[in-house]
Amino acid sequence: MAMPCMVPPIHLHSQLPRGPYLPFPLEQNSISLQCPNQIQRSQEKRRTKRGEIDMASNLSPAFAYTVVYVRDVAKSVAFYTSAFGYNVRRLDQSHKWAELESGPTTIAFTPLHQRETDVLTGEVQMPDSKGERNPVEICFDYADVDAAYKRAVDNGALPVSSPEPKNWGQKVGYVRDIDGIVVRLGSSVNETTKTAS
């Protein structure tokens, strides 16, 4: 059993100079002289806190993939290359997986139905009519939205809405890809633009 400390801690903050030039509040940064058993307990607390922080950082997600379920992987990859200007990173020989060069978050394509995912997560449900849409929208930013929209339509995208300025400071147009998925083509949002009230 640890012996109790016989000497009370000596707080030195009262001896520090006072004034507006101190970069911190004195109460939060006071210096104490402690007994060895007090130091050990405080070190254990710090280690526990660091461990909690390390564990939390291990659980911080990185957005890695958006997987798009399509009728024909090879056709979709060719379409996204010509209509939206992407390069193909990977297309496997079985045509069950493809990826585009799309920056830190990868756009990937896989068939609508496959044993691996249908059994685990259920079958993909496609809209029953043209009046319905998939529950996911893909958004791409372009410096020239009008030119990007024209290229997409010229290369087989179904026009939905021509590019127009929005009150949140973005120019946006909509098309559908060859599987009916809505693709938003927009400019980068101007952070300084105020939303109309």
Side-chain angles (χ1 to χ4, degrees):
M1 179 175 171
M3 293 294 294
C5 187
M6 303 305 292
V7 180
I10 302 169
H11 296 282
L12 300 179
H13 71 269
S14 60
Q15 299 172 14
L16 291 174
R18 298 180 186 275
Y21 47 83
L22 284 178
F24 48 80
L26 290 172
E27 304 77 52
Q28 295 175 6
N29 293 280
S30 61
I31 303 167
S32 297
L33 298 179
Q34 297 175 318
C35 292
N37 57 344
Q38 291 174 316
I39 293 170
Q40 184 179 358
R41 283 196 299 273
S42 65
Q43 286 173 342
E44 286 171 359
K45 284 181 184 176
R46 280 197 298 272
R47 278 197 295 271
T48 302
K49 196 167 190 178
R50 276 200 302 269
E52 289 169 359
I53 292 168
D54 290 343
M55 185 181 293
S57 66
N58 288 340
L59 295 177
S60 296
F63 189 12
Y65 286 85
T66 294
V67 180
V68 183
Y69 286 81
V70 295
R71 293 182 182 89
D72 187 311
V73 170
K75 282 184 181 176
S76 287
V77 167
F79 169 76
Y80 273 73
T81 300
S82 61
F84 303 117
Y86 282 100
N87 292 320
V88 179
R89 178 188 297 159
R90 177 180 167 205
L91 173 60
D92 72 13
Q93 291 181 344
S94 69
H95 289 187
K96 286 189 173 182
W97 187 261
E99 298 174 3
L100 300 178
E101 292 285 358
S102 54
T105 302
T106 300
I107 301 171
F109 298 89
T110 197
L112 282 176
H113 301 292
Q114 50 185 301
R115 187 182 60 221
E116 297 88 354
T117 53
D118 285 359
V119 171
L120 290 173
T121 58
E123 292 188 7
V124 175
Q125 299 296 311
M126 297 295 286
D128 291 329
S129 71
K130 290 186 178 180
E132 295 178 323
R133 58 180 294 187
N134 294 55
V136 174
E137 178 177 295
I138 299 174
C139 304
F140 302 136
D141 283 354
Y142 293 96
D144 187 339
V145 180
D146 294 303
Y149 182 87
K150 182 180 185 311
R151 176 179 63 186
V153 172
D154 288 349
N155 284 279
L158 182 67
V160 174
S161 175
S162 298
E164 60 182 7
K166 301 295 183 182
N167 63 358
W168 59 82
Q170 189 180 32
K171 189 172 193 179
V172 175
Y174 293 92
V175 298
R176 286 183 187 266
D177 75 2
I178 59 176
D179 285 282
I181 296 167
V182 172
V183 179
R184 179 201 304 216
L185 310 175
S187 60
S188 296
V189 178
N190 183 355
E191 298 294 338
T192 59
T193 302
K194 302 293 183 186
T195 305
S197 53

